[in-house]
Amino acid sequence: AAEHGMRRALLPRGHLRETLRSLERADVVVVTRKVASRAEADRVGELVSGEGVRAQVAFEAAEWTDFEGSLLPPPAGRELLAVTSVAEPESFLGMVRGLTSSRVEAFAFSDHYEFREIDVRRIVNKANGRSVVTTEKDAVKLRTFSETLPNTYVLRLRLTWESGRDRVMDLIRDALEGR
């Protein structure tokens, strides 16, 4: 929802994707928000024409864990290094800053980056004793190096349906049952 103002961009984002008008033929359109307000997401949903089901979901911070999934207290009050290889690191940084009120430095890698040992050494050097925070997606790839990494926090997100859940689930059930 936060990117809806990018009129020339295509969906979900970038070239070789579909235009907004293409949504007219969609069976389901799900507006996803991470940092956008619910009102902004509602406005984006209103831009979509066509007969398809409209739904809206939000990704919200759920909890902090270590690499093994054990719960940790929030890393509040500490200087942090945010390590990520997601397409939009700004939204992750915004979440971390909002949750911790800490000074957070970004160390962003390209989307879907496969971390190597040399990268982990760079992370450790850049952290310089600070705690590291990362996404669940990146934690899966960094887990191999958990012994080498400093005190690392993984931000686990929760998906919350804000509208349209039942209709989307009905469509999925119908498709699975061949109706």
Side-chain angles (χ1 to χ4, degrees), residues 81 107-109 113 116-128:
L81 179 66
F107 195 15
F109 293 79
Y113 190 82
R116 299 167 302 177
E117 191 172 324
I118 191 168
D119 302 314
V120 174
R121 284 196 299 268
R122 288 175 52 215
I123 293 167
V124 170
N125 288 337
K126 193 161 186 93
N128 195 27

Side-chain angles (χ1 to χ4, degrees), residues 4-77:
H4 77 278
M6 301 166 47
R7 296 281 179 227
R8 293 186 182 175
L10 302 176
L11 296 174
R13 189 170 171 193
H15 71 289
L16 303 179
R17 304 294 180 138
E18 304 256 359
T19 63
L20 277 173
R21 185 159 184 180
S22 301
L23 295 176
E24 293 175 3
R25 67 179 194 274
D27 293 323
V28 177
V29 174
V30 179
V31 176
T32 305
R33 68 181 188 88
K34 293 175 272 186
V35 294
S37 70
R38 186 160 184 176
E40 287 175 292
D42 289 342
R43 283 193 295 279
V44 171
E46 290 168 6
L47 294 174
V48 177
S49 59
E51 300 300 315
V53 172
R54 288 177 190 74
Q56 188 169 298
V57 297
F59 285 99
E60 302 166 332
E63 56 204 2
W64 293 98
T65 71
D66 62 14
F67 281 121
E68 304 307 315
S70 298
L71 293 178
L72 295 174

Side-chain angles (χ1 to χ4, degrees), residues 74-139:
R78 303 176 181 175
E79 287 193 28
L80 304 170
L81 179 66
V83 175
T84 184
S85 69
V86 296
E88 298 167 9
E90 303 82 22
S91 63
F92 174 63
L93 289 171
M95 277 186 175
V96 171
R97 286 182 178 122
L99 291 166
T100 65
S101 302
S102 298
R103 267 191 52 211
V104 182
E105 180 184 357
F107 195 15
F109 293 79
S110 59
D111 195 19
H112 303 291
Y113 190 82
E114 289 297 326
F115 294 99
R116 299 167 302 177
E117 191 172 324
I118 191 168
D119 302 314
V120 174
R121 284 196 299 268
R122 288 175 52 215
I123 293 167
V124 170
N125 288 337
K126 193 161 186 93
N128 195 27
R130 294 177 288 177
S131 294
V132 170
V133 294
T134 194
T135 66
E136 275 186 288
K137 172 187 165 185
D138 293 314

